[in-house]
Amino acid sequence: MKKMRQNKKTEGDDMADISAPAAPSAPDAIPKKSLDLLPLALPLVIGLAAWLLIGSTTTWLTLTLAALAMGMMVFVIASGLTLVFGLMDVINFGHGAFIAIGAYLAMTVLAPLSGWVQADNLALNLAALLIAAVVAMIGTGALGLVFERIIIRPVYGQHLKQILITMGGLIVAEQLLHAIFGGDQKSMALPAGLRGAIIIGDLALEKYRLLAVAVGLAVFAAMQLTLNRSRIGLLIRAGVENSEMVEALGYRIRRLFVGVFVAGSALAGLGGVLWALYRETFTASIGGDVMVLVFIVIIIGGLGSVGGCFLGAILVAMMANYTAFLVPKVALASSILLMVAILMWRPQGLYPVAKR
Amino acid sequence: MADRIPAEPLLRLEGVHTHIGQYHILQGVEFDVPEGGITMLLGRNGAGKTTALRTIMGLWQPSRGSVTFEGRAIGGLTTPEIALSGIAYVPETMAVFSDLTVEENMILAARSGPLDRKRLDWIFSFFPAMQKFWHSPAGVLSGGQKQMLAISRAIIEPRRLILIDEPTKGLAPAIIEGMIGAFEALKRETTILLVEQNFRFAASLGDTVAVMDDGRIVHRGTMTALSADEALQTRLLGLSLDAHQ
Amino acid sequence: MIGKLLSYDPPKSRVLGVVLAIIVLGLALAPFLFPGAAAINTAAKICIFIVLVASYDILIGYTGIVSFAQTMFFGIGGYGVGLSLYFLGPTWPVLALGIVIALILGVALAFVIGLVSLRVKAIFFAMITLAVASAFLILATQLSELTGGEDGRTFRVPELLRPGTKLLEAPLFGLEITGRIAAYYLVFLAALALFLVALRLVNSCFGRVLQAIRENESRAEALGYRVVYYRTLASCLSAALAVCAGVLSAIWLRYTGPETTLSFAIMLDVLLMVVIGGMGTLYGAVIGASLFILAQNYLQKLMGVASAATEGFPLLPRLLHPDRWLLLLGVLFVLSVYFFPTGIVGRLTQRARK
Ligand SMILES: Nc1ncnc2c1ncn2[C@@H]1O[C@H](COP(=O)(O)OP(=O)(O)O)[C@@H](O)[C@H]1O
Ligand SMILES: [Mg+2]
C-alpha cells in the first residue's frame, strides 16, 4: 500500500528490535532521556550576580537564606496548583483562599496553646506549631473537597468560566474571613524557641527561616517519592500527560483528581501557616498577595511540572529578595521581568510537561 | 476458525450514533465482534473507525443506539467502568506515557497487582525490544517500539476484548511482519477488534470483517470472502490494484 | 444613518432598544434632568465605565480571553494625563501629550504581555495579567515622588473645564453653564464616540475573526488565521480603549490615584458589569455599567440599613456591613456566572428571538 511504500525509507533501525532476541543486534545503545540541566544553572547565575552586586558575603548569605525560605513556602503553595492544572486542566484562581484560611485556622489553634508557644522549650514550641499546621491542613483539605464539588466541578473544561468562578470564590472566601474574624490586621507571634538567629561568626541565620527551608525540602522530597515510587504517583504523572489513557486503563481519574485537589488545598493551607508566621502579621488578603508570586512560579516552571515549580519558586524568591535589598521599590516587577525573560527563552516554561 | 460466527457475539453495536460537538460522526453503526479471533474494521480515512472505537470505550458517549458487551449494555458507562469490564484499548496515537519508563507504563497497565513474570516473558518473546528498553523512558522509544509498548500494555493481563487502532500506521514493512507474528500469538487467547488501513496486513490476520464509510457500516462478512473479491475491495476501500503486492 | 453609526449591529430586541435609548437620552440630558453634583458625578462615572467595560468585553466576550489588567490600562490613562497636567501645567497641548504618552505606554505593555503569554496558552494570559497588574499597582504606590503614592495626585485641568469657569452669562433651562458642564459633555461625547468605535471594531472583519477564534481556536488556525496575532492585536486595541477611559476619568475627577484607577476592587466591578450586562455584546456594557453604578450607590446604603436592623443576630450584621460590599459582589458574581452567563442582553435577545 501507499503508506507502506512511503515508510520503507524510514524507521530502519526498528528492524533489529523485532528480530529474535538471540540475533546479535546493533550495539546495545539503550536510550536514556537526556536530563535537561540547563535551567538548574539559573539560580547559580542569579546568585553569583547578586553576590557581585551586593559585595558582602554575609549579607548575601542572609539574603540567600531568606530567599530559600520564601522559595520553599511558595513552592509548598504552588505545587498543588500546578498538579491540579496538569492533571485536569483546571486553573484555580481560588487557591489563595486556602492560604488565608490556613493562616486563620492556625491563629485560632495557637491562641489557646499560647502557653506552649511562649514556653522556653523548643519541643513544646514545635508541638504547638505541628498541631496548628495539622489542623490547618485538615481544615483546608476538607474545604478543598467542598470547593471542588461546588465551585470547580460544574465548570470542567470551560476555562473562561473556571477563571471567573474561582476568582469569585476567592473573593467570597476572603470577605467571609473578614466578616468572621474582623477586618483588622492579625498577628501571629513566632514561638519563643524559633525567634532570633543562630550566630556563626558574623553570619546570622534566622531560625524560623531554617525551619521553613526544612519543611519545604521535606514536602518536596515526599512529593518526589510519591510521584516516582508509588502507583498513585505514577498515575498522577501519567494523568498529567494523558488523562484519557489513564481512564482507558481502568482507573477513575476523577477520584485521583479530587485527591490531588484536596492534597493541594491542604498544602496551600500549610503554606499559609508558614507564610503568616514568616510575616507575623496578616489579613485575609494574604492569599491574593502570595498568589501573584505563585502564578509567576508555575508559569516559569512549566504548568504541571513539580520539579519546574520547585526551581521556579527558588528563582522568584531569589530575585525578590536580592532586588528588595538592592532596589527595594521594584521587587515584584523584577519577578515579572524574570518571567518574561524565561518565557522568551522557553515559551512553555522551564520544564514543560508533555501533553497528548 | 475463519468462518465460524457464534450465535451470541462478544460485542454488538446496534444503531450507534455519535456526535462530536455539533458534528454527527457515527450515523447508525451496526456490527458484531464474535468471540475469538480477529475482527477487522476497515474503511477509508475519516470513515469513523477511530470514533467507533472511542465510542465503544466510552471516550465519546453514543447519542443513540446500544453497545452490548457480553450481553451487558455498556453504552452509558464511563471509560474506567468499560475498561474494568474487560476491554483493553490501544489508541491510534498509542498514548504511551512518555515521562514514565517502559516498566512503569506496564505497572500501570497491570492494574490488579504486581507484574506477572511468566506473562511478561511471553510478551518479550514477540516484542524483545520491551525487555531491552525496560528501564528507559517511553518517550525515547521509536515509533515501532511505542506501538509495541502500547500493545504490551493492553495484553499484560488477560482481557476479554482488545481494541487496536491502526497498529501498523507509519511502521516499516519489516516491523509490520513482526507484528503479524505477535497478533497470531495473541488471537489464540483473546478476541481482537482491529482497525486497519493496511489491507494486506488485515487480510493475513482477519477472520471476520466490517467496512465503514461515512459513519456507517457498508459491508460485513468474512475476511476470506472479502480477500477473494477484488471488485468488492475496490468499491469499499478504493484500493488500487497495486496495493495487493 | 443610525444603522451606519451602529455598524449595522442594532440592538436585537425591542425592550433592549428602548432601554438603551432611555440610557443614552438620560446621559445626554443628565445635567438638566438631574441637577446636583452627586447626580452628574454618577452620570459621568457611567459614561466612563461604559467605555471601560466595552473595552474589556472586546477581550473577554469577543476574544474569549480573561485579563485582570484592564484597570492597569485604565490607570495608565489616568496617570498619563494626570501626571502630565500636574507637572507640566494645565494646558490643552499637555493634555494631548499625556494622552499620547499613555496610549503608547499602554499599547506597548499590552503588546509585550500578549507576546509572552498568548504565544503558548491563552490561560497564561489571565495569570500574567494578574501578576503584571499587581506589580504595576505596587510600583505606582512605591514611586511616590512621581505618582504621589497612596494619596495620588490632584491636578488642574485646562481653563475651559474648570468648575469656576462660567461659559454663559445667563443660566440655560435654569442650569448654570460652567466648565463642569463642559467637562461633562466632553466626557459624554468622547464616551459615545469611543463606544461607536468599539462597535465598529467588533463588527469588522477583524471582530468576526476574533469570534471565530473564540468559538473554535483550532479551526480558525486551520483556516489560516494567526491566532496569536489576532489575540495580541485585540488585547492592544482593548488596552487603548481602556487608556482612553482612564483619560476621561482623570479629566472628570481632576485626580488620579491607585484607589480610583488601579485597585482590584475596580477590576471586580468591571468583571461584574460585563457579566451582568452580557459578555460578547457591547450593548451589555451599557446596561451593565449603568445598572451596576446606580445599584452601587443605592445598595451600599441599603446594606448599612440592613446591618443596623439585624443588630443582635450573630454574624449577620457583620455580613451585611457596608464594608462587606465586596462579599455581596462576589456572591453575585459567582451566581451570575453560573445561572446567568449570557447576562441581561443575552436574555433579552434570546426572548426576542423566540
Ligand atoms: N474531535 C473531533 N472533532 C470534530 N470532528 C472530528 C473529531 N474527531 C474526528 N472527527 C471527524 O470524524 C470523522 C471520522 O473520524 P475518525 O473516526 O478519526 O476516522 P478514521 O479513524 O476512520 O480515519 C472525520 O470526518 C473527522 O474529521
Ligand atoms: Mg482513525
Side-chain angles (χ1 to χ4, degrees):
Chain A
M1 290 178 88
K2 220 166 148 205
K3 201 167 246 168
M4 284 179 55
R5 283 230 212 92
Q6 276 174 356
N7 286 309
K8 261 179 195 154
K9 299 186 221 87
T10 60
E11 308 235 8
D13 56 342
D14 281 357
M15 282 186 219
D17 307 328
I18 42 101
S19 58
S25 57
D28 271 32
I30 294 181
K32 278 254 156 53
K33 198 164 63 173
S34 57
L35 272 177
D36 182 8
L37 296 173
L38 209 51
L40 296 182
L42 280 176
L44 302 179
V45 171
I46 292 180
L48 188 67
W51 181 68
L52 292 174
L53 284 172
I54 292 167
S56 145
T57 304
T58 48
T59 313
W60 180 81
L61 276 173
T62 310
L63 286 174
T64 305
L65 176 62
L68 286 179
M70 177 177 162
M72 290 304 135
M73 289 186 272
V74 173
F75 164 73
V76 168
I77 294 167
S79 54
L81 193 65
T82 204
L83 272 184
V84 165
F85 180 84
L87 200 54
M88 281 320 251
D89 205 22
V90 163
I91 191 72
N92 178 14
F93 274 73
H95 197 66
F98 301 111
I99 303 174
I101 292 169
Y104 277 88
L105 280 176
M107 180 186 77
T108 313
V109 172
L110 285 179
L113 289 177
S114 64
W116 291 17
V117 172
Q118 273 146 29
D120 192 16
N121 177 337
L122 191 61
L124 273 185
N125 294 162
L126 288 177
L129 282 195
L130 186 67
I131 293 173
V134 168
V135 170
M137 287 179 77
I138 292 174
T140 48
L143 281 172
L145 199 64
V146 177
F147 197 86
E148 196 275 335
R149 195 66 251 276
I150 62 176
I151 300 276
I152 307 258
R153 196 168 300 184
V155 290
Y156 270 132
Q158 304 166 270
H159 273 167
L160 189 100
K161 280 194 174 183
Q162 259 170 32
I163 296 173
L164 297 180
I165 290 268
T166 55
M167 191 49 120
L170 171 67
I171 289 154
V172 171
E174 273 184 11
Q175 293 296 316
L176 280 176
L177 284 175
H178 272 311
I180 295 168
F181 292 96
D184 53 329
Q185 197 170 42
K186 304 291 174 200
S187 63
M188 189 151 62
L190 274 177
L194 290 170
R195 278 180 226 145
I198 298 170
I199 311 284
I200 308 168
D202 48 358
L203 180 66
L205 298 175
E206 284 190 33
K207 290 182 200 162
Y208 182 68
R209 290 180 182 167
L210 292 173
L211 177 71
V213 171
V215 173
L217 285 177
V219 168
F220 181 59
M223 215 168 213
Q224 287 297 341
L225 268 180
T226 313
L227 285 176
N228 291 312
R229 295 272 180 273
S230 72
R231 180 175 285 257
I232 295 270
L234 292 184
L235 277 174
I236 292 173
R237 281 165 59 207
V240 166
E241 199 175 323
N242 189 338
S243 55
E244 235 173 32
M245 194 60 216
V246 173
E247 291 204 283
L249 288 178
Y251 298 97
R252 292 187 180 81
I253 195 117
R254 190 45 66 76
R255 274 202 219 157
L256 188 67
F257 173 59
V258 172
V260 170
F261 194 91
V262 167
S265 307
L267 283 174
L270 174 65
V273 178
L274 292 173
W275 189 262
L277 278 168
Y278 183 60
R279 287 299 184 77
E280 301 200 52
T281 57
F282 60 95
T283 66
S285 60
I286 180 180
D289 302 342
V290 185
M291 279 315 279
V292 171
L293 290 179
V294 167
F295 283 141
I296 297 177
V297 162
I298 62 178
I299 289 177
I300 286 181
L303 281 178
S305 152
V306 172
C309 177
F310 186 74
L311 183 59
I314 290 177
L315 286 175
V316 164
M318 288 175 90
M319 207 69 185
N321 279 278
Y322 295 144
T323 45
F325 177 79
L326 291 166
V327 256
K329 291 190 171 175
V330 299
L332 185 54
S334 73
S335 307
I336 288 180
L337 286 184
L338 175 74
M339 172 179 74
V340 170
I342 286 178
L343 287 182
M344 290 289 182
W345 176 38
R346 294 196 168 173
Q348 307 255 18
L350 291 176
Y351 288 111
V353 172
K355 270 274 180 195
R356 72 197 101 116
Chain B
M1 185 194 258
D3 288 332
R4 184 177 55 98
I5 297 182
E8 174 73 13
L10 183 65
L11 179 80
R12 163 166 281 176
L13 274 71
E14 281 169 305
V16 170
H17 290 252
T18 299
H19 290 258
I20 304 180
Q22 67 211 28
Y23 306 105
H24 192 170
I25 308 287
L26 297 191
Q27 311 184 358
V29 169
E30 307 232 8
F31 68 90
D32 290 349
V33 177
E35 173 107 51
I38 298 186
T39 300
M40 286 290 169
L41 184 59
L42 307 181
R44 293 177 240 252
N45 243 330
K49 307 177 297 293
T50 299
T51 309
L53 291 198
R54 287 177 61 87
T55 304
I56 297 169
M57 217 44 218
L59 292 165
W60 299 125
Q61 285 298 330
S63 43
R64 213 146 29 100
S66 70
V67 183
T68 317
F69 177 62
E70 296 186 304
R72 189 163 83 103
I74 58 167
L77 300 187
T78 63
T79 301
E81 286 168 333
I82 292 169
L84 291 174
S85 73
I87 305 183
Y89 178 47
V90 181
E92 201 171 356
T93 57
M94 302 175 280
V96 299
F97 304 122
S98 52
D99 196 33
L100 275 55
T101 62
V102 170
E103 178 184 21
E104 289 167 336
N105 268 277
M106 297 295 278
I107 288 175
L108 287 188
R111 59 178 176 244
S112 63
L115 291 169
D116 176 353
R117 196 64 233 177
K118 253 174 66 195
R119 200 160 168 97
L120 215 48
D121 288 336
W122 174 64
I123 292 175
F124 291 157
S125 72
F126 42 82
F127 294 149
M130 291 304 97
Q131 184 163 29
K132 182 170 160 197
F133 298 122
W134 191 239
H135 294 294
S136 303
V140 302
L141 300 181
S142 70
Q145 292 159 349
K146 280 184 181 146
Q147 190 61 258
M148 293 174 202
L149 173 56
I151 296 171
S152 305
R153 271 194 323 202
I155 60 178
I156 181 65
E157 287 179 344
R159 303 274 183 255
R160 298 279 291 135
L161 172 66
I162 302 176
L163 314 177
I164 307 182
D165 202 345
E166 298 204 35
T168 62
K169 195 170 152 187
L171 300 191
I175 302 181
I176 296 179
E177 289 305 325
M179 287 266 174
I180 292 181
F183 282 113
E184 265 158 4
L186 264 181
K187 79 184 211 182
R188 279 192 287 274
E189 76 141 41
T190 185
T191 310
I192 298 174
L193 173 59
L194 191 62
V195 166
E196 251 316 323
Q197 291 266 348
N198 181 335
F199 189 78
R200 202 175 60 104
F201 183 76
S204 65
L205 279 170
D207 301 309
T208 42
V209 61
V211 182
M212 284 188 79
D213 203 12
D214 266 343
R216 290 187 183 82
I217 296 290
V218 290
H219 172 84
R220 280 178 293 186
T222 62
M223 196 71 229
T224 15
L226 183 60
S227 294
D229 189 342
E230 285 197 15
L232 187 62
Q233 286 166 33
T234 313
R235 185 165 65 74
L236 294 174
L237 302 165
L239 299 176
S240 52
L241 283 174
D242 65 335
H244 291 263
Q245 350 135 1
Chain C
M1 172 63 189
I2 289 200
K4 190 164 180 206
L5 263 181
L6 298 181
S7 311
Y8 306 104
D9 177 24
K12 302 228 166 35
S13 117
R14 179 155 318 153
V15 186
L16 179 61
V18 171
V19 173
L20 285 171
I22 292 173
I23 291 175
V24 174
L25 271 179
L27 290 174
L29 302 174
F32 298 96
L33 294 177
F34 319 101
I40 195 172
N41 244 331
T42 308
K45 193 172 174 193
I46 291 177
C47 292
I48 292 163
F49 270 84
I50 285 175
V51 177
L52 184 58
V53 173
S55 79
Y56 193 55
D57 198 27
I58 291 178
L59 272 190
I60 195 171
Y62 285 88
T63 317
I65 50 181
V66 184
S67 160
F68 289 105
Q70 210 64 11
T71 49
M72 176 177 81
F73 298 114
F74 188 59
I76 288 177
Y79 275 98
V81 166
L83 298 184
S84 304
L85 291 175
Y86 180 83
F87 286 107
L88 302 176
T91 63
W92 291 102
V94 168
L95 181 64
L97 178 73
I99 295 176
V100 170
I101 293 176
L103 277 174
I104 291 176
L105 187 65
V107 171
L109 206 50
F111 181 75
V112 173
I113 295 176
L115 206 64
V116 293
S117 56
L118 292 171
R119 207 152 39 125
V120 184
K121 280 196 178 85
I123 199 154
F124 275 21
F125 193 72
M127 292 188 260
I128 290 183
T129 49
L130 183 73
V132 173
S134 311
F136 193 85
L137 174 62
I138 292 175
L139 216 56
T141 37
Q142 293 276 320
L143 301 175
S144 47
E145 295 93 49
L146 183 65
T147 61
E150 302 260 5
D151 299 332
R153 290 277 186 221
T154 307
F155 50 86
R156 299 201 303 159
V157 288
E159 175 109 39
L160 177 69
L161 304 176
R162 287 183 209 152
T165 313
K166 237 186 191 169
L167 295 174
L168 287 182
E169 285 304 319
L172 190 68
F173 302 111
L175 185 75
E176 195 91 57
I177 305 299
T178 60
R180 200 73 182 138
I181 305 294
Y184 177 76
Y185 278 103
L186 177 67
V187 168
F188 172 75
L189 290 175
L192 187 65
L194 288 169
F195 181 81
L196 293 177
V197 168
L199 202 58
R200 175 62 48 89
L201 188 70
V202 296
N203 284 296
S204 65
C205 296
F206 175 72
R208 299 201 193 291
V209 175
L210 287 186
Q211 289 165 66
I213 293 174
R214 179 194 63 192
E215 289 314 317
N216 193 333
E217 186 178 337
S218 39
R219 197 160 149 260
E221 189 89 62
L223 288 175
Y225 296 111
R226 293 285 312 279
V227 170
V228 192
Y229 166 81
Y230 279 92
R231 282 186 171 151
T232 307
L233 195 54
S235 103
C236 290
L237 290 169
S238 158
L241 265 179
V243 166
C244 292
V247 167
L248 295 182
S249 166
I251 291 176
W252 177 250
L253 295 174
R254 290 166 289 148
Y255 163 79
T256 187
E259 271 302 303
T260 51
T261 52
L262 292 172
S263 75
F264 193 71
I266 299 185
M267 190 64 237
L268 186 66
D269 289 352
V270 172
L271 270 168
L272 203 60
M273 290 181 211
V274 167
V275 172
I276 289 179
M279 289 188 265
T281 145
L282 285 185
Y283 295 115
V286 180
I287 305 265
S290 311
L291 195 70
F292 183 87
I293 290 169
L294 289 176
Q296 191 173 28
N297 290 335
Y298 181 66
L299 271 179
Q300 253 169 332
K301 286 188 194 108
L302 196 71
M303 283 179 82
V305 176
S307 174
T310 51
E311 202 70 61
F313 290 93
L315 204 57
L316 262 185
R318 284 211 213 159
L319 287 176
L320 293 172
H321 193 275
D323 281 357
R324 295 286 80 77
W325 166 244
L326 266 180
L327 174 62
L328 193 74
L329 289 197
V331 172
L332 203 63
F333 183 67
V334 172
L335 293 180
S336 0
V337 177
Y338 271 152
F339 299 112
F340 205 49
T342 54
I344 294 175
V345 172
R347 280 290 166 90
L348 286 176
T349 25
Q350 265 165 18
R351 251 213 349 232
R353 236 180 257 136
K354 270 179 205 156

